[in-house]
Amino acid sequence: MKILIIGASGLVGGNCLEHFRKCKGFEATGTYYSYKTANTTFFDTLNPANPANFDVESFSPDVIVHCGALTHVDYCETHEDESYEKTVVAFSNTLKLAKKLNSKIVYISTDYVFDGISGPYEEDEVQNPLSVYARHKAEAEELARSYKNHLVLRITNVYGKEERNKNFVSRIVEQAAEGKHLTLTLPYDQYATPVNAYDIARALELLLIDDKTGVYHIASTDFLNRVELALRVLKYFPDATYDLKAISTKELNQPAARPLIGGLITRKFSAEYPEFLFTNVDDFVKTKIEEQNR
């Protein structure tokens, strides 16, 4: 099975590329736009006719996984046109390619399509996006679902191995391991279900092998607020020094509204794959420490 991963230099895309390059029966290629990593090739989803683009048609993928988006939620709130272009238009162009090549489309979505009043959420619950970023993700997701051969994975609070170490959990691990003093101001009222990006890739493999379609929630066993998440990591670094201020989301005064009781329930996926075991934050941190001590 040939699989093309759009946005393979990011956290989710990078883990998918690494995983599928090792999977028997898969031939994986990954693209980047603004940040090149090993084994990625250039592709501009906003300009599919760019002569520098990877030749998708010649590769003729069976599956196109779209991981690219403008994910800085507060930036999107004040740059609505750019958010629309990089999230909705970029995906629309990718979807057109999938239709032309008769490829399955996989869209990576988010729990932000919900309002966070009564989470965590199952797949069929009513959407009510609160922010510019969330509305654009919901719009792109709707485009994906309009195509018969689609797979939508909703995820949230993703962490894991990443070249730039941009994700919240990895940054804390890195700074604590280096003996840096951490200064953290975090909301105690924003809850979610953190998930390792590598688990997302492993789950996607099963769904593709079985030619699944529709919407699936992919989440781990943790349901934490941001303060609890930071402390879960820091407990493995007893010598770490830090200042942690727990405040409300209202006090943070972030430009974009957040779903407070967010997160996702994996009942559907778990019912279909009962032997699949998600890892959790503890597993990830322990592994990182073991790697650093080798």
Side-chain angles (χ1 to χ4, degrees):
M1 187 185 299
K2 288 185 176 181
I3 179 169
L4 175 67
I5 301 163
I6 301 291
S9 62
L11 176 56
V12 176
N15 276 267
C16 285
L17 180 61
E18 179 180 349
H19 180 68
F20 283 105
R21 284 174 68 90
K22 297 175 182 176
C23 284
K24 185 177 180 180
F26 284 89
E27 179 183 348
T29 292
T31 73
Y32 76 94
Y33 173 63
S34 58
Y35 182 79
K36 180 175 175 58
T37 56
N39 301 317
T40 59
T41 184
F42 179 79
F43 190 83
D44 180 2
T45 51
L46 291 175
N47 183 12
N50 187 333
N53 280 349
F54 172 70
D55 190 348
V56 176
E57 292 190 34
S58 292
F59 181 61
S60 189
D62 300 294
V63 179
I64 301 177
V65 183
H66 187 94
C67 300
L70 186 58
T71 58
H72 192 314
V73 178
D74 289 329
Y75 181 88
C76 290
E77 199 69 16
T78 54
H79 298 78
E80 187 166 354
D81 291 343
E82 184 181 352
S83 173
Y84 184 82
E85 189 173 64
K86 291 184 176 178
T87 296
V88 181
V89 175
F91 176 68
S92 177
N93 290 338
T94 301
L95 181 58
K96 288 174 185 175
L97 261 178
K99 290 177 178 178
K100 182 177 182 180
L101 300 173
N102 198 29
S103 307
K104 178 189 285 289
I105 193 74
V106 179
Y107 183 67
I108 305 299
S109 191
T110 170
D111 71 332
Y112 273 51
V113 300
F114 302 110
D115 56 22
I117 292 174
S118 57
Y121 294 91
E122 297 198 55
E123 287 82 356
D124 58 355
E125 296 191 57
V126 177
Q127 294 187 22
N128 184 28
L130 301 178
S131 64
V132 167
Y133 164 78
R135 290 195 297 274
H136 290 164
K137 290 295 287 186
E139 186 170 342
E141 183 185 302
E142 186 176 353
L143 286 174
R145 295 199 310 272
S146 71
Y147 178 52
K148 183 177 181 180
N149 196 8
H150 76 273
L151 188 59
V152 172
L153 303 188
R154 293 197 190 117
I155 57 177
T156 186
N157 272 32
V158 185
Y159 61 89
K161 180 181 177 182
E162 183 182 22
E163 183 170 306
R164 288 178 283 181
N165 251 9
K166 290 169 58 181
N167 65 88
F168 180 72
V169 171
S170 286
R171 285 202 314 270
I172 294 179
V173 171
E174 181 181 56
Q175 292 170 11
E178 292 175 353
K180 295 181 179 177
H181 182 81
L182 287 81
T183 301
L184 302 167
T185 301
L186 301 171
Y188 58 75
D189 54 356
Q190 290 183 24
Y191 285 81
T193 46
V195 64
N196 192 320
Y198 205 67
D199 284 350
I200 297 169
R202 292 195 303 121
L204 177 57
E205 178 195 357
L206 296 177
L207 293 167
L208 291 179
I209 289 172
D210 291 341
D211 197 25
K212 297 287 188 177
T213 58
V215 180
Y216 283 83
H217 285 179
I218 305 298
S220 184
T221 56
D222 294 311
F223 181 66
L224 304 166
N225 65 39
R226 299 294 277 186
V227 175
E228 292 169 334
L229 180 55
L231 291 175
R232 177 73 67 87
V233 176
L234 287 168
K235 76 178 183 180
Y236 290 97
F237 299 93
D239 297 327
T241 62
Y242 58 89
D243 295 313
L244 195 162
K245 184 179 181 181
I247 65 175
S248 69
T249 296
K250 184 177 180 180
E251 289 175 284
L252 269 180
N253 196 30
Q254 295 166 304
R258 263 62 170 183
L260 299 185
I261 311 299
L264 303 164
I265 296 173
T266 61
R267 194 192 320 270
K268 177 181 176 181
F269 179 84
S270 296
E272 295 178 17
Y273 300 96
E275 295 185 4
F276 185 96
L277 294 178
F278 285 95
T279 61
N280 58 28
V281 173
D282 295 271
D283 296 323
F284 175 72
V285 178
K286 289 174 185 176
T287 300
K288 291 288 286 185
I289 292 172
E290 288 173 3
E291 291 173 351
Q292 291 165 355
N293 290 338
R294 285 174 187 166

